[in-house]
Amino acid sequence: MNIAPLIIKLLKTFLLILLGLVLLAPVVLTVTNSFMTEQEIRMNYDALGKVAANADMFVNAKLIPDWVSWEQYRAVLVDTPAFLHMYWNSVLLVVPIIAGQALVASLAAYAFAKLRFRGRDKLFLVYLLTMLMPFQVTLVPNYIVIDKLGLMNNNAAIILPGIFAAFGVFLLRQFMLHIPYSYIEAAKIDGASHLRIFWSIILPMMKPALAALVILLFVDNWNMVEQPLIFIQDAFKQPLSVFLARISEQSRGIAFAASVVYMTPMLLLFLYAERFFIEGIQLSGVKG
């Protein structure tokens, strides 16, 4: 009996489990530390600044608190009204971007994938070039355009560029290429318009790709920092991602609890749409 394949499979499983534990360690550490008292957290992490000077010192990264306390969550959710206000600021920024880009990208992807017109592929290539440009490259022209439109210190300065980003078009177009064109031809024979074909045939088949797009957009825009710092000067209008840095400077304990509250929507969304997310990424041909 050849046991080599079994050993290789066991090694791969062990490495994957080990990798999973390494990736989950920061999340687990954040959650467990959020239930510690401020005094216990200071005892564990005050040595951070001294470790570099003294090689014999170690940071005591504890997973289980000595005493479970809800003090940090009370401080965040009850004693810090600004936290909840900026939480909803994040929601008011992210939801319109996701809804708008899903609508615009799905229609544009249908045109690039299923409509036949001259210069389609060349136009799509030019459209994709914007994906190769980092935010820093387009920062100055975006700033000038937004300033000329009078949108500075307004949510629209972030929402409008987010709606018309190229990534959603690319992802959905790659998925639509797997839908047979014969469906569209059959619908045309029955007299259906392109809008009817898109709404009744294409859109129901795009649920996995749309789920993947929603998750990726939510994670990307929920964590954005540069855009709010540049385009929204009023701290009262800034999202939670900017506010978290200020919490971290004030209290490590509050930072742990705030981080748990902050990442909970992302975890719930991913767990709910995990199957659609994986299917959408696989069929879109996008590799992480």
Side-chain angles (χ1 to χ4, degrees):
M1 179 179 178
N2 188 6
I3 62 171
L6 179 60
I7 295 176
I8 294 175
K9 184 177 180 180
L10 290 175
L11 287 175
K12 288 181 179 179
T13 303
F14 174 76
L15 290 176
L16 289 174
I17 292 175
L18 182 62
L19 179 61
L21 292 176
V22 171
L23 295 176
L24 285 175
V27 177
V28 175
L29 191 67
T30 300
V31 174
T32 57
N33 279 235
S34 68
F35 292 102
M36 294 181 183
T37 63
E38 182 67 26
Q39 293 76 15
E40 185 177 358
I41 290 175
R42 289 187 180 277
M43 290 176 60
N44 295 333
Y45 294 98
D46 275 350
L48 279 174
K50 304 174 184 178
V51 171
N54 189 346
D56 296 330
M57 297 187 64
F58 298 92
V59 176
N60 184 20
K62 295 176 59 177
L63 285 177
I64 302 176
D66 294 333
W67 182 265
V68 176
S69 172
W70 295 90
E71 173 187 347
Q72 314 302 343
Y73 286 98
R74 181 186 59 80
V76 169
L77 299 176
V78 179
D79 298 340
T80 313
F83 179 88
L84 293 178
H85 176 77
M86 292 189 174
Y87 188 96
W88 288 109
N89 284 350
S90 296
V91 173
L92 293 176
L93 282 174
V94 173
V95 171
I97 290 176
I98 294 176
Q101 188 171 155
L103 175 63
V104 172
S106 58
L107 291 170
Y110 175 75
F112 282 122
K114 298 304 179 184
L115 298 186
R116 297 171 178 172
F117 55 90
R118 180 179 298 178
R120 181 190 66 177
D121 295 336
K122 293 180 180 179
L123 179 61
F124 182 69
L125 179 61
V126 173
Y127 195 75
L128 286 184
L129 290 178
T130 60
M131 290 179 57
L132 304 178
M133 300 180 185
F135 172 74
Q136 293 78 6
V137 173
T138 59
L139 174 60
V140 174
N142 282 344
Y143 187 91
I144 294 174
V145 171
I146 289 172
D147 185 51
K148 293 293 184 181
L149 293 175
L151 297 177
M152 293 298 295
N153 204 34
N154 191 300
N155 285 357
I158 298 175
I159 293 174
L160 291 179
I163 288 176
F164 297 98
F167 175 74
V169 179
F170 168 73
L171 181 70
L172 298 182
R173 184 229 181 217
Q174 296 303 109
F175 184 89
M176 284 188 191
L177 291 178
H178 295 276
I179 299 176
Y181 193 78
S182 57
Y183 292 168
I184 298 176
E185 292 178 337
K188 285 182 177 179
I189 294 176
D190 291 338
S193 63
H194 280 293
L195 184 60
R196 181 69 176 177
I197 293 171
F198 172 78
W199 183 261
S200 300
I201 299 176
I202 302 297
L203 198 59
M205 301 176 67
M206 287 175 55
K207 288 181 180 179
L210 287 172
L213 179 63
V214 167
I215 292 175
L216 293 173
L217 288 178
F218 185 87
V219 172
D220 185 40
N221 291 283
W222 189 256
N223 295 319
M224 62 180 170
V225 176
E226 295 91 348
Q227 296 95 321
L229 284 175
I230 295 171
F231 298 123
I232 301 181
Q233 291 81 21
D234 189 353
F236 194 70
K237 296 181 179 181
Q238 290 177 344
L240 189 58
S241 52
V242 177
F243 186 62
L244 280 179
R246 299 168 188 164
I247 295 179
S248 300
E249 295 173 359
Q250 299 169 4
S251 170
R252 294 191 185 98
I254 292 179
F256 281 120
S259 298
V260 172
V261 176
Y262 181 71
M263 68 182 178
T264 297
M266 289 183 285
L267 293 175
L268 293 177
L269 178 62
F270 182 79
L271 292 174
Y272 176 76
E274 177 185 5
R275 178 172 61 86
F276 296 107
F277 174 74
I278 295 175
E279 183 180 352
I281 292 296
Q282 287 177 340
L283 294 178
S284 299
V286 179
K287 295 183 179 180

